[in-house]
């Protein structure tokens, strides 16, 4: 028997608020926007790039520039990749970056120094309610403390940041408290827990599966598409806390159709492949509680100290999320799968920080493929697809439609 998504209630995406509706309205018409290329006569000038292409260029330059590379970010206004370079003995390093098409900025802090600072924070200030990530736009480590970090804990964090030296890190307070975004209610269910489906994938053995948050995967082994319903999928692998927050959940029915798309409620967005995030990049998140929301990537390789333990290797953003959105998909307007919702602080009324598990890292760890990489899978020719994490966003309370459809 096949298992395919058939949305039942489209209007419920309005629960995501005005921002979500606005994002849904303009997301698809621009999905195939063309890239402006630089002329041959201006080969050394910064190239105009889409965010996905900027991420690929950043990866190449990181290897090309070696120790001189100090991070990069996407300038959305000018549609350029900005690469930080630490001047050194090699006078040609800036010319190499410029020839590759990047805008070059000379900075003081090398990646080696910034990574050393992050290790100091880990050893001296691993405090629940704190996080840190390198911010290439400031060439510093961005340290965030939530509302629970007070008294001696705040003093310890502040003194650790100061010990790194002037110009190495900044510290700021968050109004909310860091937490994972699992909740009881709607979307994909197991007992009293509710999460969101992230992206459909093809497991290493060719069977249909999906990715979601690791803290959902360690909370329960079997998941249903209806509260109190029969299980439709079983956790195969889960990581949380530790080196990520992701889980691979395989569909119990091997004929399940796993379409390569994100369900936006009133329309779908095809997902072609997984991609690395870039600081400054515009991203969208779909979740079963709040529907569609948008924002920017703020930092990469973030360390987050949740009450349950420390998680490393996350993406930091200013996209809002709420309980029940855990595991939900983060993606680009042109259909690249970027992240899985992990946790953060705040909500979609007051805002806040949200952290995401990189999809690329999760796929590599569990041996799964997504989109075109998955080939033809069980139940249809779109297996290894990216179905929306917020498929239940158009369900509504008590609606029995599932994250990937009806049986």
């Amino acid at each position: 028997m096949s298992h395919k998504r058939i949305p039942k209630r489209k209007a419920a995406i309005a629960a995501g608020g005005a921002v979500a509706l606005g994002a849904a309205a303009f997301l698809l018409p621009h999905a195939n926007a063309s890239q402006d290329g630089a002329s041959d006569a201006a080969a050394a000038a910064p190239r105009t790039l889409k965010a996905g292409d900027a991420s690929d260029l950043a990866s190449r330059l990181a290897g090309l520039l070696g120790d001189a590379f100090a991070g990069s970010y996407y300038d959305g206004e000018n549609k350029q990749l900005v690469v930080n370079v630490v001047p050194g003995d090699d006078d040609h390093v800036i010319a190499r970056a410029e020839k590759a098409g990047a805008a070059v900025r000379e900075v003081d802090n090398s990646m080696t120094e910034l990574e050393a600072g992050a290790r100091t924070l880990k050893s001296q200030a691993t405090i629940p309610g704190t996080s840190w990530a390198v911010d290439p736009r400031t060439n510093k480590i961005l340290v965030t403390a939530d509302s629970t970090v007070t008294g001696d804990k705040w003093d310890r964090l502040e003194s650790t940041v100061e010990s790194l030296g002037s110009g190495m890190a900044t510290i700021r307070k968050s109004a909310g408290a860091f937490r994972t975004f699992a909740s009881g209610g709607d979307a994909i269910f197991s007992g009293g827990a509710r999460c969101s489906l992230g992206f459909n994938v093809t497991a290493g053995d060719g069977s249909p599966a999906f990715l979601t948050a690791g803290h959902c995967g360690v909370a329960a082994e079997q998941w249903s598409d209806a509260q109190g319903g029969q299980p439709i999928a079983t956790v195969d692998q889960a990581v949380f806390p530790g080196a990520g927050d992701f889980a691979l959940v395989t569909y119990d029915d091997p004929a399940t159709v796993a379409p390569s798309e994100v369900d936006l409620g009133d329309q779908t967005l095809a997902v072609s492949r997984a991609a690395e995030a870039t600081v400054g990049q515009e991203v969208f998140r779909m979740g079963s509680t709040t529907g569609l929301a948008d924002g920017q990537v703020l930092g990469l390789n973030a360390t987050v100290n949740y009450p349950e333990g420390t998680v490393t290797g996350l993406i930091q953003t200013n996209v809002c999320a709420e309980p029940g959105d855990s595991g939900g998909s983060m993606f680009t307007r042109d259909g690249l799968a970027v992240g899985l919702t992990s946790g953060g602080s705040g909500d979609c009324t007051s805002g806040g920080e949200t952290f995401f598990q990189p999809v690329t890292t999760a796929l590599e760890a569990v041996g799964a493929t997504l989109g075109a990489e998955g080939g033809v899978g069980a139940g249809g020719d779109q297996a290894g697809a990216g179905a929306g994490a917020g498929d239940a966003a158009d369900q509504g309370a008590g609606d029995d439609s599932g994250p990937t459809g009806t049986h």
Side-chain angles (χ1 to χ4, degrees):
M1 299 176 67
S2 66
H3 189 83
K4 187 174 182 181
R5 175 65 180 163
I6 303 176
K8 288 187 178 180
R9 191 161 69 110
K10 307 296 187 183
I13 196 171
V19 171
L21 287 173
F26 68 75
L27 176 59
L28 289 182
H30 299 278
N32 296 315
S34 63
Q35 174 183 329
D36 295 327
S39 67
D40 293 339
R47 292 167 52 196
T48 298
L49 300 167
K50 292 187 292 186
D53 296 327
S55 177
D56 293 340
L57 177 58
S59 297
R60 294 197 302 271
L61 285 174
L64 178 66
L65 302 181
D67 292 341
F69 180 80
S72 63
Y73 62 94
Y74 184 62
D75 178 351
E77 181 177 351
N78 295 311
K79 299 189 183 307
Q80 295 174 349
L81 176 71
V82 180
V83 174
N84 293 335
V85 172
V86 178
D89 296 332
D90 187 353
D91 295 334
H92 302 293
V93 69
I94 293 177
R96 289 195 198 105
E98 291 176 337
K99 184 177 180 181
V104 178
R105 186 177 69 148
E106 294 188 30
V107 296
D108 295 326
N109 297 321
S110 69
M111 286 303 298
T112 299
E113 292 169 327
L114 293 168
E115 289 168 356
R119 288 194 296 271
T120 298
L121 287 163
K122 179 180 179 180
S123 64
Q124 300 182 18
T126 297
I127 302 166
T130 62
S131 71
W132 49 82
V134 172
D135 180 2
R137 290 170 297 187
T138 62
N139 188 229
K140 297 179 182 180
I141 303 169
L142 173 61
V143 181
T144 306
D146 73 12
S147 59
T148 67
V149 181
T150 59
D152 291 342
K153 291 188 292 185
W154 170 260
D155 293 340
R156 176 178 155 199
L157 179 65
E158 192 173 40
S159 64
T160 303
V161 169
E162 290 175 353
S163 74
L164 300 179
S166 176
M168 184 61 66
T170 58
I171 186 170
R172 66 187 179 94
K173 292 280 285 185
S174 174
F178 289 162
R179 66 194 189 283
T180 53
F181 286 131
S183 180
D186 158 15
I188 57 172
F189 307 84
S190 187
R194 181 191 73 185
C195 286
S196 295
L197 186 150
F199 296 97
N200 282 324
V201 299
T202 300
D205 62 0
S207 61
F210 64 84
L211 295 176
T212 190
H215 64 267
C216 300
V218 299
E221 183 179 5
Q222 293 185 306
W223 289 84
S224 171
D225 59 354
Q227 192 167 22
Q230 291 296 312
I232 64 166
T234 303
V235 175
D236 180 83
Q237 303 176 53
V239 173
F240 178 84
D245 184 3
F246 57 90
L248 177 70
V249 187
T250 56
Y251 289 106
D252 296 334
D253 181 354
T256 297
V257 175
S260 185
E261 60 191 26
V262 175
D263 186 349
L264 302 177
D266 58 350
Q267 55 190 322
T268 59
L269 175 68
V271 173
S272 59
R273 63 182 177 89
E276 301 286 349
T278 303
V279 172
Q281 179 179 22
E282 174 194 52
V283 287
F284 298 84
R285 176 200 52 75
M286 195 69 190
S288 64
T289 299
T290 57
L292 188 64
D294 64 326
Q296 279 193 341
V297 174
L298 302 180
L300 304 178
N301 197 28
T303 295
V304 185
N305 297 299
Y306 292 122
E308 299 91 340
T310 299
V311 179
T312 60
L314 301 184
I315 302 166
Q316 184 170 354
T317 77
N318 61 5
V319 184
C320 72
E322 296 183 8
D325 288 331
S326 279
S329 52
M330 182 171 74
F331 52 95
T332 66
R333 68 167 66 245
D334 51 352
L336 301 178
V338 177
L340 306 167
T341 307
S342 174
S345 66
D347 54 38
C348 287
T349 299
S350 59
E353 296 83 23
T354 301
F355 300 92
F356 293 83
Q357 164 66 44
V359 172
T360 52
T361 306
L363 290 171
E364 182 178 4
V366 302
T369 51
L370 181 152
E373 298 174 348
V376 178
D381 60 2
Q382 289 186 328
D391 285 347
D394 56 353
Q395 294 178 18
D399 190 325
D400 292 333
S401 64
T404 53
T406 58
H407 302 291

